[in-house]
Amino acid sequence: MSHQHKLKLAIFDWDGTIMDSVSRIVESMQCAARRANLVVPTEQAVKDIIGLSLAPAFEQLFGKLSPAMTNTMSDYYRQEYLDENRSETPIFNGIEQVLTTLKSQGYLLAVATGKSRVGLDRLMKESGLAHFFNDTMTADEAESKPSPQMIETLLTRLGVNRGETIMVGDSILDMQMARNAQVSAIGVSYGAHTPEVLSGANPKAIVDSPMALLSYI
């Protein structure tokens, strides 16, 4: 692995990669659908939209919704996620150690998430992880994953090349976004998607725990 020393930037997805929020997202989406009298999606169907911004997520789950219903569902989902749903969203075991290690080794660290800016900033503050990251991109600042736009914007702002960058994520969308941006990717199999699904986009590696990332970055 002699090329490893060339890496300068590690970009992390948030939900299902840094924060253990998958079950909370699933429950919130199912409750919102129930309130809006839409067909309640299965757990796996919701897992498959994690990483998308809300409008394309709704379209994948419910088909084409009217603008009014899209707004209603956005409101319901955010209410459920923020207020009603009390399931914990802890940080995955080992993530803080991984970030600490990478930071101390001089890596630039960034986040690329399907969350809103308001949502990410709130969780970064609550989790106490904000100080690790040099830059962040959210769904309201770029095209939704798997568009490469989030990664490309981060590379430009941080002055880093594609070949010096790695994307870490738990969803096939993260792997496809990395491929579209021509950066290498590592899949984590403890979030939304199984190793079988992640391997469909040929990541450099698939790991089953945060600490295992240090073998590849």
Side-chain angles (χ1 to χ4, degrees), residues 55-69:
F58 294 151
E59 189 166 340
Q60 187 170 318
L61 289 173
F62 309 111
K64 205 91 179 112
L65 299 179
S66 68
M69 180 53 101

Side-chain angles (χ1 to χ4, degrees), residues 38-121:
L38 296 170
V39 175
V40 177
T42 64
E43 180 183 1
Q44 190 56 55
V46 181
K47 283 182 174 180
D48 288 343
I49 59 86
I50 293 177
L52 288 173
S53 30
L54 281 179
F58 294 151
E59 189 166 340
Q60 187 170 318
L61 289 173
F62 309 111
K64 205 91 179 112
L65 299 179
S66 68
M69 180 53 101
T70 301
N71 288 340
T72 301
M73 271 298 289
S74 298
D75 290 344
Y76 286 173
Y77 174 76
R78 291 196 173 111
Q79 286 164 16
E80 294 290 343
Y81 191 90
L82 290 174
D83 309 321
E84 315 301 330
N85 185 315
R86 293 289 169 223
S87 65
E88 282 298 292
T89 54
I91 299 303
F92 283 111
N93 229 341
I95 275 291
E96 194 154 358
Q97 206 174 331
V98 169
L99 297 174
T100 303
T101 303
L102 294 175
K103 196 89 180 157
S104 71
Q105 291 172 355
Y107 285 91
L108 295 170
L109 301 175
V111 171
T113 178
K115 290 192 133 15
S116 67
R117 170 52 62 194
V118 172
L120 178 66
D121 286 352

Side-chain angles (χ1 to χ4, degrees), residues 11-14 110-114 137 145 150 154 167 174 177:
I11 303 173
F12 287 83
D13 166 56
W14 188 267
V111 171
T113 178
M137 279 296 289
K145 300 175 183 180
M150 282 197 217
L154 289 167
M167 174 76 207
D174 298 312
M177 174 173 68

